[in-house]
Amino acid sequence: MKKATKAALISACVLIAVGVVLCVLSFAAAHGDWNAYEVDSDTYLSKTERYDSKQVSALIFTDSSCDVELIRTTGSDLIIYYNEGEKSGYDFSLADDGTLTVSFRSERKWYEWFSLSFGGPTHKTVIAVPDGYVGDIEIRLESANLMVGSLSTNGALAIATASGDITLTQAELAGALSVLTTSGDIRVSSCTAGDVSVHSTSGDAFVDSLTC
């Protein structure tokens, strides 16, 4: 047997052994309860946070895995529709300078992030932004996807994801547009912005009908 083949086999066996050990430790941490491995055993309630957009100078939103959608609203309030579970949700903080920070929080144990089943419920957070909102918006996501449709603001929009996909359609921004992802795909179509920066490290980027 060649040395390279032997080394590959040894590495594979080591990885399998590590995987088995992690599974055993995870099962032990779950006290032998297979229900702990459901896609999402948390109980969720639909909630709404509403802010006077004139009092919000900027919005900073961060999440890990929940998809997010930005939409326009004809009202004057900035509204966030979200789902809160027993072990996860968002923390809201409005600073004296008007910066609204919305941060994902989770009290799940480490083994509860592992799943042996598929097809569980999906949740999406919707942020409704008033027409002509003058503040800047910053969205930071990890594996979650972001969709922006028919948004019209007088501020800037900065989006960053690790692996989530980003889709912008018919967005009108007086400020700058910055779209950045590491491995996700980017699709931008029929959008207007003061300045534009679009970059994906390893994902695909599709840009059509973009006006600066």
Side-chain angles (χ1 to χ4, degrees):
M1 182 181 295
K2 295 182 179 180
K3 290 184 178 181
T5 303
K6 185 177 181 180
L9 288 174
I10 294 174
S11 298
C13 291
V14 170
L15 290 175
I16 292 173
V18 171
V20 170
V21 171
L22 288 176
C23 288
V24 171
L25 291 175
S26 175
F27 189 64
H31 305 290
D33 183 10
W34 287 107
N35 292 325
Y37 293 90
E38 292 179 0
V39 170
D40 197 343
S41 59
D42 209 346
T43 301
Y44 289 89
L45 293 175
S46 297
K47 291 196 171 185
T48 302
E49 288 289 331
R50 187 183 300 265
Y51 296 87
D52 183 349
S53 62
K54 295 180 180 179
Q55 304 300 318
V56 180
S57 61
L59 169 64
I60 300 175
F61 181 95
T62 62
D63 201 336
S64 58
S65 59
C66 183
D67 291 346
V68 179
E69 182 177 7
L70 264 66
I71 63 174
R72 73 194 301 173
T73 176
T74 57
S76 60
D77 288 347
L78 191 153
I79 311 171
I80 301 175
Y81 304 94
Y82 66 102
N83 294 283
E84 183 171 76
E86 297 174 343
K87 301 178 182 179
S88 61
Y90 294 103
D91 291 325
F92 296 83
S93 176
L94 183 60
D96 293 337
D97 64 356
T99 299
L100 174 61
T101 303
V102 184
S103 304
F104 175 76
R105 59 171 171 76
S106 176
E107 300 172 1
R108 292 180 179 179
K109 298 178 181 179
W110 66 271
Y111 61 83
E112 292 180 299
W113 292 100
F114 292 87
S115 172
L116 297 179
S117 57
F118 303 91
T122 58
H123 302 283
K124 179 173 66 175
T125 298
V126 178
I127 304 174
V129 182
D131 275 339
Y133 174 63
V134 298
D136 295 336
I137 300 175
E138 182 175 352
I139 308 293
R140 307 170 188 165
L141 306 176
E142 293 182 17
S143 61
N145 300 320
L146 174 68
M147 178 180 294
V148 181
S150 301
L151 190 68
S152 178
T153 73
N154 289 323
L157 175 61
I159 303 167
T161 73
S163 59
D165 296 334
I166 303 169
T167 303
L168 290 92
T169 305
Q170 296 180 340
E172 299 178 3
L173 311 172
L177 170 63
S178 174
V179 183
L180 174 65
T181 180
T182 302
S183 60
D185 294 336
I186 299 173
R187 291 173 176 83
V188 180
S189 62
S190 302
C191 294
T192 302
D195 187 30
V196 177
S197 175
V198 177
H199 178 71
S200 178
T201 303
S202 60
D204 296 325
F206 305 92
V207 179
D208 180 47
S209 300
L210 180 61
T211 304
C212 301

